[in-house]
Amino acid sequence: YFTVGYPIPQVKSPGGITRGFEARGANAILVPIEVPPDRIDMFFELAAAIGNLDGMVVTIPHKFRARQACTTVSPRAELLGAANVLRRNPDGSWHGDMTDGIGFCNAVRAKGTDLAGRRALLIGAGGAGSAIGLSLLDGGVESLAVFDLDTGRRDALISKLATRYPTVAAAPSADPAGYGLIANASPAGMRPDDPLPVDAAGLTPAMHVGDVVTAPEVPPLIVAARAAGCTTNTGTEMYQAQIDVITDFLLGRD
């Protein structure tokens, strides 16, 4: 199995998923592969022909392209147009699903935070953000506001989610004031000079703040949120909360 993304050094899945294979008695290993966006079409064409490649975990920025490589997908991957896990169908084609939202919401609940009734602010409408937004709504948040500097991408996600939920809308800014749950699904925080994705001055102890960034392990937003008294979950905790989901999917045991 491969984990494919660009960049790749921050991914946590090779070790965790390989241990998951071992625990299930599967003779398999997950290998990280770094593929830049201008070569991803070539990669998927080649991957389809690799006889001992049984599946993939797909990370930034290839999740929307991964959906295009699939012949069949889960209902949530179909709605979002993105996939982060792929496995072979009996005919050798790819079947995809999108588990990032499950991982994020599992991590939130593991901290004792109930999604029901909370007003949520989602920062970032990419592959991970799309999945998180859907899972937050599925989990019972009162409303979801989406902010992305790419307004076209933001509006595309809102249009998809609005087919199921009328309580999703564009956020006028990244101001966290008035929300009970903040989800950073943008890469802000991966580089030392990145600005915070939201204004830390607006954070209060009543909020839960989650982040998808895995490197650094405690990103700057989470540092600021903890200083403000918020409950938090990190990107690493989000990943850990979906290891079993991903491993079972790859092995066809979901």
Side-chain angles (χ1 to χ4, degrees), residues 70-216:
C70 295
T71 301
T72 60
V73 291
S74 70
R76 57 178 161 253
E78 180 67 29
L79 173 66
L80 298 172
N84 76 316
V85 285
L86 280 65
R87 69 170 182 239
R88 295 284 189 183
N89 284 314
D91 65 359
S93 64
W94 296 116
H95 175 69
D97 199 354
M98 190 65 187
T99 66
D100 285 337
I102 297 171
F104 184 88
C105 291
N106 284 350
V108 172
R109 294 186 182 101
K111 295 304 180 75
T113 298
D114 189 358
L115 298 177
R118 288 184 178 250
R119 297 182 67 238
L121 172 64
L122 173 66
I123 308 297
S130 298
I132 290 169
L134 177 59
S135 288
L136 288 172
L137 290 163
D138 286 344
V141 297
E142 176 184 310
S143 62
L144 177 71
V146 182
F147 179 83
D148 196 302
L149 294 174
D150 184 335
T151 56
R153 184 166 66 174
R154 176 202 67 191
D155 293 344
L157 175 58
I158 290 171
S159 294
K160 293 172 185 176
L161 298 178
T163 62
R164 292 190 185 180
Y165 295 100
T167 56
V168 57
S173 71
D175 183 358
Y179 297 98
L181 191 149
I182 315 298
N184 176 44
S186 79
M190 290 180 65
R191 297 180 297 269
D193 57 346
D194 283 345
L196 290 178
V198 301
D199 182 1
L203 299 174
T204 68
M207 298 174 178
H208 180 97
V209 179
D211 203 324
V212 303
V213 171
T214 58

Side-chain angles (χ1 to χ4, degrees), residues 1 4 29 57 82 127 146 221 244:
Y1 295 80
V4 58
I29 187 171
V57 178
V146 182
L221 175 61
D244 287 340

